[in-house]
Amino acid sequence: MRLDFFFVFLDNVWFSFTFNLDLFLLCCIISSLSLLYCISKAGDDYTVEINKKIAGKVISMIFAMFAFSLLCAKIIGELLKLNDDPKVSGVYLHLPPASLTSRVINTLYPEKDVDCITDMNMGRLVQGNLSRGFVPPLAGAVLSLLQKHDASLEGKTVLLVGEGPLKLALHCLIERNGMFVQSSHSNSNSLQSQVMHADALVLLGAESMEIPSTWVRPGAAIIRCESILKSVISGLGYLTAAYRAQNVVQSCSRWLQEQQYRPWHLHTLKLLPLNPVPSDIEISRAQTPKPIDQLAAEIGLLPEELEPYGRSKAKVRLSLLDRLHSQPDGKYILVAGITPTPLGEGKSTVTIGLVQAMSAHLKLNSFACLRQPSQGPTFGVKGGAAGGGYAQVIPMEEFNLHLTGDIHAITAANNLVAAAIDARMLHEATQSDKALFNRLVPSVNGVRKFSPIQISRLQGLGIHKTDPASLTPQEVSAFARLDLDPSKITWHRVVDTNDRFLRKITVGQASTEKGQTRETGFDIAVASEIMAILALSDNLGDMRGRLGRMVVGTSRSGKPVTAEDLGVSGAVAVLMKDAIKPTLMQTLEGTPVFVHAGPFANIAHGNSSVLADKLALKLVGQDGFVVTEAGFGADIGMEKFFNIKCRASGLKPNVVVLVATVRALKMHGGGPNVSAGAPLPREYIDENLSLVARGCRSNLRKQIQIAKLFGVPVVVALNAFRTDTPAEIDLVCQIAKECGASDAVSCQHWSQGGRGCLELALAVKEAARQPTNFQFLYNTEMPIVEKIRTIAQKVYGADDIEVSPEVQRKIDYYNHQGYGSLPICMAKTHLSLSHMPDKKGAPTGFVLPIRDIRASVGAGFIYPLVGTMSTMPGLPTRPCFYDIDIDPVTEDIIGLF
């Protein structure tokens, strides 16, 4: 499609201009184009009318009518909104000169500055860098007319008369197009001489200036950049509008290009490992992390997708999933482990070492996805979870402390629900139906109406009314009274500290609570159902729905009461709106890491978030790798990863990396007990091949078999310690392959970083090429008891399960409420495949007792309790906090690890 314009100038020379609209139409099909005019007042604005005529059929134009005296701050506020609006491709500021301050102009994003008035775009124009900037529409129109002159002006002289930003733009453009440029003022003594020698004359805003015809050379072009009205009459205004529209199209085209997947340009950080290996915090501080915006740009994130929290960490917006929805996923790798000792076997360090090896040494795109550590273990006995040695997430202090506040948000949200429960029970106990209803639905300015969440409750009760006055007394009572049974409240308060004295408490003892006392307790924050929901949510809407479905207790009539019934789930979602975004950090070698969520692995599913994995899988590209970690052994974290997390996400893993240590294998082979804080017995320091072999043929074999139940290849990663001998290492790798592992390799990442995990990286890369036959262990439509039995027999090695009459009554209740098709999340000790922590290796011949069973309906699973499980850890005699302090001068943290 072509659009032709014709213009008349003072010398009566006709110019024609042909403008191609094919690109306009193409972009209109791909994306909605918008040009927003910020104009000073309503009225007969010729500029607006011109642009309507030129581009009104192909560009959506929005008009913001600003008062003439609008404050600068208000204009800036509006511009900030437009900057973030993806539906606006260009902004034209048609404002009075007094309002076009430098602050206003430079608030506008350069990529939306289609008139090229910002300092950034003017600088690009001067430098000749128009790949990201724009040609000012009026300057483009003038240049086009010069180029369309009957006689070619190449090598000829163009005289610019006047002042202003347009003069600079024209000077640069005209020179770059092979013409010579001269400048003059309207009152210059040499003006006549310059005009007589010029091949073209451009008058810049000189409305009253008259150039005698005797001064002008025959055939010379004269272009007046005058007022809007005169430009319209002359035709220059139409051509300017066409170039402005073209800039909008160009802006949109660039935006569309930016939305495509971006190849990585990762600059890794060099490691210089020391021997002996320093402390974790010394290693962390010896490395300077890249600025987080630099890392984000290297892995293809757009600036608007990043929300920085300081210099070295940032939230990533979920809009990334929409932008890259058509991008194929990379390979999905799960790191699990054998049954650990109380000291832990290093799954986090293996995860980090593996991605460092892949990205920094094999030059493969790779991403680690880790859980956020709880403050409880950090100050308790375990320490942090940032990895260790030369396989860490940095800065490790930030990783192990507040990070971006997700756990604090969960704590606030969880305790808001708890407060709502107790307040509601107090008010119901002390008020009549009518008084309660009137306070729940108050009259505001003479109007009573239900809030949206109250209408949701009414619909749940089968009451399809929206006028509070229309409810019957029976409906008023049903709506106003949740009638919670105090003895069946399942919701606890939480705090992110190991505090055993909060395991059981009594609330309501103040006189103001009017005798509404009850026993309750605290859990550690990461045990909250909200944490499990955060990890399993697919988007903000999904999280909001799950939060509403959380069951907090049971009414006296036996009905479940949800957070939606309490009216608190919307507020909880608001508290969680930032926590749903994964946090971007980096490893010691500058490779990317997502840190998100941190649910308990023995009472919840123990995996980082679905969203972190999904974002990472898009970012690494089809040939990249995402390495995510499951808590504790394969019988707990990995089983839940497959049966719960993979069901929620729809993702299918390609490889399982099973982490083992010689230390843990010796324990499973019959070695003495290992205790945190106590010296290791000699059996774990001296070579003992018989203990290693027995441990391999019991626990390691069983854990490999568990992984292969799901149809996924297994690579065994032996996390080597300094006390391990070559013979012990070779024996583990040999037996692991005999037991069905695709490969088994020794890893030295703790002392060498990614280079010490190269063999593992190659083994994982090779295993990821193998076909998988991923399958769930059970169908969720199976009865609850049968699902539990399947896990007990096939995963744990039990002969059968034992279900008490009380547990069976609860199962019947869950079936009646429609929860029977939820997957199972077993709450079991992590120190044994069985329910008995002291039974090592691969126990058989036992019956698994189901002590209790509960439902996390919002998270979406049923969790049977096997044995005694604590949701609030306690502090040891000598916690880690004895060693932690701060230097008041440098603010450096001392003794964290």
Side-chain angles (χ1 to χ4, degrees), residues 769-787:
R769 294 174 178 163
Q770 299 178 24
T772 61
N773 183 30
F774 177 71
Q775 58 189 0
F776 297 118
L777 189 64
Y778 53 80
N779 187 317
T780 54
E781 298 305 317
M782 290 171 58
I784 291 175
V785 170
E786 289 307 310
K787 286 184 281 194

Side-chain angles (χ1 to χ4, degrees), residues 99-176:
S99 297
L100 282 173
T101 64
S102 176
R103 186 179 169 205
V104 167
I105 288 171
N106 291 306
T107 295
L108 179 61
Y109 278 174
E111 56 266 32
K112 295 190 178 185
D113 169 29
V114 292
D115 259 39
C116 190
I117 60 174
T118 61
D119 291 347
M120 176 68 76
N121 278 339
M122 188 57 72
R124 288 168 176 165
L125 178 68
V126 171
Q127 293 175 349
N129 177 20
L130 293 179
S131 61
R132 299 180 64 190
F134 300 97
V135 172
L138 182 54
V142 170
L143 180 65
S144 179
L145 292 174
L146 290 172
Q147 292 171 332
K148 294 287 183 179
H149 188 54
D150 287 346
S152 172
L153 291 176
E154 186 174 353
K156 303 296 180 64
T157 300
V158 177
L159 177 63
L160 306 179
V161 182
E163 293 298 330
L166 179 61
K167 183 176 183 179
L168 176 62
L170 279 171
H171 193 288
C172 296
L173 291 171
I174 291 171
E175 278 195 339
R176 288 197 195 103

Side-chain angles (χ1 to χ4, degrees), residues 570-626:
V572 169
V574 168
L575 287 172
M576 294 293 294
K577 71 178 182 64
D578 293 318
I580 196 173
K581 303 165 191 170
T583 299
L584 177 67
M585 295 188 76
Q586 62 193 283
T587 69
L588 278 167
E589 297 190 57
T591 67
V593 177
F594 272 140
V595 186
H596 202 210
F600 260 28
N602 49 6
I603 61 167
H605 56 85
N607 288 273
S608 61
S609 76
V610 165
L611 281 168
D613 291 357
K614 285 191 170 184
L615 289 168
L617 284 165
K618 294 299 183 186
L619 284 169
V620 297
Q622 191 168 7
D623 299 322
F625 293 81
V626 172

Side-chain angles (χ1 to χ4, degrees), residues 432 499 599 676 692 801:
S432 66
D499 193 345
V692 171
I801 61 174

Side-chain angles (χ1 to χ4, degrees), residues 532-555:
I533 286 174
L534 175 66
L536 293 175
S537 294
D538 202 46
N539 52 57
L540 186 58
D542 180 35
M543 184 177 73
R544 170 62 181 85
R546 289 173 179 268
L547 292 171
R549 293 192 296 272
M550 294 186 303
V551 175
V552 301
T554 306
S555 71

Side-chain angles (χ1 to χ4, degrees), residues 193-205:
S193 173
Q194 289 178 299
V195 170
M196 294 182 70
H197 290 88
D199 300 295
L201 178 63
V202 180
L203 305 179
L204 305 173

Side-chain angles (χ1 to χ4, degrees), residues 177-224:
N177 281 271
M179 307 175 211
F180 295 105
V181 181
Q182 289 186 346
S183 297
S184 182
H185 300 288
S186 59
N187 56 0
S188 171
N189 293 330
S190 60
L191 179 61
Q192 179 179 356
S193 173
Q194 289 178 299
V195 170
M196 294 182 70
H197 290 88
D199 300 295
L201 178 63
V202 180
L203 305 179
L204 305 173
E207 298 185 21
S208 61
M209 183 190 302
E210 292 295 336
I211 302 294
S213 58
T214 56
W215 292 10
V216 182
R217 295 175 57 181
I222 304 176
I223 301 175
R224 287 185 182 274

